[in-house]
Amino acid sequence: MSPMEPDGRAVFVNGYTKILTGAWSSEEFSLRLEADPVSVLAENGLAVEAGSRVDIVRIRDGEPDLQTQMQLWEIGRRSGHYVLYVPELPQLDVRDLADEELGGLAGGGGTSYCCNPCCCQS
């Protein structure tokens, strides 16, 4: 399989990035992507041939790999069956923080910082 040309690579990366950030920042965008992927892809610069099938995969084992996604896109261009990995946004570890941890986050570690030395001097 030949690698994607530089111009095609730039177009793909730009469109794929828009789709990822849209899916991660907007539930409405994510729902539209699932319901009508062909239109959403086209709106974001990744048009597919008429009659093509697009599968949006939200869960994938391992880390997302841009190179693999570009290879899958090229396979889709030849076969008419596109597979686009759009993983869910990773969840943050939300736990109760101890008072000591909160104090450190708020700048309360006993260290004082001043943005302008002359404002602290009288």
Side-chain angles (χ1 to χ4, degrees):
M1 170 177 19
S2 62
M4 202 180 278
E5 294 294 321
D7 288 346
R9 179 184 298 259
V11 168
F12 176 81
V13 170
N14 185 43
Y16 186 52
T17 301
K18 287 179 185 178
I19 289 165
L20 288 176
T21 57
W24 291 342
S25 62
S26 167
E27 185 174 347
E28 177 188 347
F29 183 94
S30 208
L31 292 172
R32 284 184 52 237
L33 179 63
E34 294 285 337
D36 188 8
V38 172
S39 295
V40 174
L41 291 176
E43 291 167 12
N44 289 278
L46 297 179
V48 299
E49 295 290 324
S52 294
R53 187 174 107 207
V54 178
D55 291 332
I56 303 298
V57 178
R58 299 305 303 246
I59 298 173
R60 180 173 182 241
D61 292 335
E63 292 295 315
D65 177 0
L66 184 59
Q67 188 64 36
T68 299
Q69 184 59 70
M70 285 190 286
Q71 290 171 347
L72 289 171
W73 188 258
E74 284 299 304
I75 291 168
R77 287 180 46 176
R78 289 193 300 277
S79 69
H81 176 211
Y82 294 82
V83 175
L84 196 70
Y85 289 110
V86 182
E88 298 290 340
L89 184 62
Q91 296 297 311
L92 297 175
D93 180 17
V94 183
R95 60 182 174 92
D96 291 333
L97 296 175
D99 288 339
E100 302 81 44
E101 292 173 305
L102 288 172
L105 290 174
T111 306
S112 258
Y113 298 98
C114 183
C115 59
N116 185 352
C118 65
C119 72
C120 297
Q121 299 172 357
S122 341

